[in-house]
Amino acid sequence: MLLNQFLLLSAVLFCIGVYGVLARKNGVLVLMSIELILNAVNINLVAFGALTDNVAGAVFALFTIAVAAAEVGIGLAIVLLIYRNRRSIDLSEIDLMKG
Amino acid sequence: MLAGIAPLFGATEFVRPAIDWHAAAPELTLLGFGALITMIDIGWLERARRIAAPLTSLALLVTLVPIITLALDGNDRSMFHGGFVVDDYSLIMKATFVLAGYVVVLMSTNYIAEGDYWENEYYGLLLSSILGMILMASARDLISIFVALELLSIPAYMLATWRKRDLKSNEAGLKYYLMGVFASAVMLYGMSLLYGASGSTLLVDINDAISVATTLDAVVVIGIIFVVVGFAFKVSAFPFHTWAPDTYEGSPTPVTAFISVASKAAGFVALLNLLFVGFLGRDDIFEPLMWALAAASMTAGNLMALRQTNIVRLLAYSGVAQAGYMLAPLAVAGTVPDKALTASVTYLVIYAAMNLGAFAVVIAVARKTRSAKISDYRGLFHYAPGLTVAMTIFLFSLAGIPPLGGWLAKFRVMEAVIEADTASGLVLGIFVAVNSVIALYYYARIGFGMWAEDAPDGDLTPVNVPLSLGVALTLTALITIAMGVVPGDVVGRFTEVSLLAGG
């Protein structure tokens, strides 16, 4: 089975996601980058599960998808709240507290 | 559909796993009450506001009943091939979470009711977060650890953002949320690698598979590092602590207390489960990692706490340092596993009591001064002697002064790192000792201001402490003192690593 290709794809997705979280200043784009990492995880889980004939990987991926949906629901709500209060979702401007 | 994928995975006929209802009773009780509170809120709206807080307290006290009956029964129980284990260790942690939740409800009652916030949803979310925590105490499987982690985190993100129109609360919630989901995504990536290296999500099987070196060794190393880093965010260890001070300052104070105690303890419980059941065969990987995290957290946390002017931020940085002390025994977990587990659990339980107490005093004082500046604590003794005594107990306990609880906690940590008798363990012991002295400076500075100086504006009207807050203060103060003076060490004798896996 072509395991390496799947792992490589997921590693690349993971790196793009981490870069996006660290470098992007737009709240929604950061959320999308986190989704990329979670999809990298799903590819890993399903690929390993298929390789070892083990259903746990696919089940884990289903849990990840369901929980990620809940997480993004909350995240978009928070970003929307901030947009309503500040008229901007630029993360670098959100610095009321420091120290 | 199922018939379609079944041949792919070589599935056999489905057999329903046996369910031990007694073992799952604490979780089910809390789940039932959480659903009840949500439905009452939908059905009754305004009238429900009056009963939300008492009902939540009742829910938590009723949840203690099955925990106690399970403890009296004494048998270790295990379900789902060892994915859900009820033993003495998990019962102690469940009782700690439930009691901590109860104290948070006591602290919230007046704060939330007087602040014109949404009340019933608050308690519903609090209960589901606590449900995630007690589930975490029993989780011995990657999937259940992940689900428990999200169940406890997602409501906490919403609680941190509770003051919807306050920009600081928005910022607190956003920082907590972004750091939290990023950490759990990194942790999940590590988990997927560990699953790939071992072919199982059960921690026991993972330990068997990764203890022997294979061609997949690099995958195992990266997997363990990512999982540990994910939880380092959760327990706010340096350098993954950056969200903590801002989130603590901006959130409503009872929520801050909840996040800094219960959520941090749940992160530690997950780490303990993972390290002692899943990774114990690979202490060569996690021990140096834990050593670095522990040493960096206590030093950086204490140094940054020195220059804080806001008491909540000071407690946040002191929390980073305390996380360092709690991580210290894990750095010798491979050498003296039983001692290390005892030290961590003892520290967690005592930390919960003393830190909740400190936040209760902060809430009480803020009812009068409306601020969290350290300078406003000057002269507290002249108008609130009771609060001053309580705060002194909590601060000195955090500093580790005998005979208070914090002293026993530090003693257990020192005992573990010294008994390991390795060079790295001894150096870590020196780190703990030096840092305790640094920490004493900023705790004692607040104490000195409260007892010896005059109130800044000469205003000597007493602080009005509501009944429920008073109960919370008394409870935490009594536990903090009792943990230190009662001989026979209530927590320590229950924890043995061999029992954790549930047989």
Side-chain angles (χ1 to χ4, degrees):
Chain A
M1 210 192 101
L2 304 173
L3 182 66
N4 278 346
Q5 281 82 335
F6 288 109
L7 293 190
L8 210 60
L9 171 65
S10 97
V12 170
L13 273 181
F14 178 77
C15 293
I16 297 175
V18 171
Y19 170 79
V21 171
L22 299 178
R24 285 290 165 178
K25 295 293 173 218
N26 183 310
V28 177
L29 282 177
V30 171
L31 286 184
M32 289 170 67
S33 307
I34 288 170
E35 285 298 295
L36 276 186
I37 304 181
L38 293 174
N39 282 320
V41 172
N42 287 339
I43 292 174
N44 257 357
L45 287 172
V46 174
F48 281 130
L51 178 80
T52 51
D53 255 7
N54 182 337
V55 80
V59 173
F60 202 159
L62 284 178
F63 273 100
T64 315
I65 294 168
V67 171
E71 270 184 351
V72 170
I74 303 297
L76 286 176
I78 295 177
V79 170
L80 190 65
L81 186 63
I82 288 189
Y83 181 75
R84 279 197 186 143
N85 287 342
R86 312 178 66 117
R87 294 280 141 203
S88 150
I89 47 169
D90 189 337
L91 297 181
S92 58
E93 286 174 16
I94 301 180
D95 54 0
L96 283 175
M97 294 174 285
K98 273 182 188 160
Chain B
M1 185 63 204
L2 272 177
I5 51 168
L8 275 179
F9 295 104
T12 48
E13 198 180 327
F14 178 72
V15 185
R16 197 186 78 129
I19 293 181
D20 182 346
W21 294 104
H22 192 190
E27 282 82 0
L28 293 175
T29 314
L30 209 50
L31 182 65
F33 271 102
L36 183 69
I37 286 176
T38 313
M39 286 200 283
I40 285 177
D41 176 36
I42 295 169
W44 280 3
L45 294 173
E46 275 308 303
R47 268 185 296 167
R49 287 187 71 157
R50 262 172 295 156
I51 58 164
L55 194 60
T56 314
S57 315
L58 182 71
L60 291 165
L61 292 179
V62 171
T63 308
L64 271 182
V65 174
I67 295 179
I68 292 170
T69 57
L70 280 168
L72 290 178
D73 180 56
N75 290 325
D76 292 344
R77 292 151 187 269
S78 153
M79 272 196 278
F80 309 123
H81 308 292
F84 184 93
V85 173
V86 176
D87 53 14
D88 291 338
Y89 152 78
S90 67
L91 287 174
I92 290 174
M93 290 322 300
K94 281 180 197 204
T96 310
F97 291 138
V98 170
L99 280 175
Y102 180 65
V103 172
V104 170
V105 171
L106 289 177
M107 285 156 65
S108 311
T109 312
N110 291 75
Y111 190 96
I112 297 291
E114 287 164 15
D116 193 26
Y117 307 123
W118 289 259
E119 271 190 88
N120 302 336
E121 294 90 337
Y122 177 89
Y123 293 111
L125 290 174
L126 202 63
L127 281 189
S128 52
S129 192
I130 298 168
L131 174 63
M133 289 165 190
I134 62 173
L135 196 60
M136 184 69 94
S138 285
R140 303 285 188 280
D141 179 287
L142 290 185
I143 300 180
S144 49
I145 286 179
F146 166 63
V147 171
L149 178 74
E150 296 301 334
L151 188 55
L152 75 92
S153 303
I154 293 178
Y157 304 143
M158 287 189 268
L159 292 177
T161 332
W162 208 244
R163 291 184 301 206
K164 273 170 72 176
R165 280 167 195 78
D166 177 39
L167 287 179
K168 274 193 172 180
S169 185
N170 293 170
E171 184 178 335
L174 183 73
K175 283 179 174 166
Y176 188 30
Y177 171 82
L178 286 178
M179 283 301 188
V181 290
F182 182 48
S184 56
V186 171
M187 177 206 74
L188 265 179
Y189 194 77
M191 282 184 171
S192 75
L193 293 178
L194 286 174
Y195 166 70
S198 62
S200 169
T201 56
L202 276 177
L203 295 184
V204 183
D205 294 347
I206 291 178
N207 193 30
D208 291 342
I210 65 176
S211 293
V212 285
T214 59
T215 46
L216 286 169
D217 219 32
V219 175
V220 172
V221 174
I222 299 176
I224 291 180
I225 291 177
F226 278 10
V227 170
V228 167
V229 165
F231 282 105
F233 272 101
K234 199 83 227 160
V235 303
S236 68
F238 184 87
F240 310 108
H241 69 287
T242 45
W243 58 274
D246 296 347
T247 301
Y248 287 15
E249 188 187 344
S251 306
T253 320
V255 176
T256 305
F258 184 67
I259 293 172
S260 81
V261 170
S263 169
K264 178 181 277 193
F268 265 103
V269 166
L271 258 184
L272 294 178
N273 293 346
L274 283 163
L275 295 189
F276 284 105
V277 186
F279 307 158
L280 200 57
R282 297 312 300 270
D283 51 355
D284 56 321
I285 304 172
F286 75 75
E287 276 194 353
L289 209 57
M290 285 297 153
W291 196 96
L293 280 176
S297 299
M298 44 185 140
T299 315
N302 277 330
L303 290 180
M304 285 185 284
L306 283 178
R307 56 185 181 83
Q308 297 304 320
T309 55
N310 180 310
I311 189 134
V312 178
R313 293 186 80 85
L314 181 127
L315 286 173
Y317 282 112
S318 115
V320 174
Q322 302 278 343
Y325 303 138
M326 283 184 255
L327 286 167
L330 301 181
V332 292
T335 328
V336 281
D338 289 344
K339 285 270 176 207
L341 184 64
T342 307
S344 290
V345 173
T346 311
Y347 210 116
L348 274 176
V349 173
I350 294 171
Y351 170 79
M354 58 195 184
N355 222 35
L356 278 177
F359 276 111
V361 176
V362 171
I363 293 173
V365 172
R367 288 174 66 83
K368 183 193 169 205
T369 61
R370 298 277 151 218
S371 93
K373 285 205 203 85
I374 292 176
S375 53
D376 285 343
Y377 280 75
R378 280 180 295 170
L380 190 68
F381 179 67
H382 299 298
Y383 56 90
L387 285 179
T388 313
V389 171
M391 191 62 160
T392 313
I393 290 173
F394 298 131
L395 291 178
F396 280 4
S397 179
L398 282 165
I401 308 258
L404 299 163
W407 163 77
L408 178 73
K410 282 228 175 62
F411 174 74
R412 287 269 172 257
V413 170
M414 288 300 266
E415 198 184 2
V417 292
I418 289 172
E419 202 146 306
D421 205 20
T422 54
S424 60
L426 293 177
V427 174
L428 202 56
I430 297 171
F431 264 99
V432 174
V434 171
N435 272 295
S436 304
V437 178
I438 303 177
L440 182 60
Y441 170 74
Y442 59 80
Y443 292 130
R445 197 184 51 177
I446 305 175
F448 180 80
M450 288 192 302
W451 287 92
E453 289 175 30
D454 288 328
D457 47 4
D459 178 10
L460 292 183
T461 42
V463 178
N464 163 29
V465 180
L467 178 66
S468 59
L469 195 56
V471 174
L473 274 168
T474 321
L475 207 61
T476 46
L478 283 180
I479 294 176
T480 306
I481 299 172
M483 283 289 184
V485 294
V486 173
D489 195 352
V490 200
V491 193
R493 55 201 168 112
F494 292 121
T495 45
E496 271 176 57
V497 171
S498 51
L499 299 175
L500 232 63

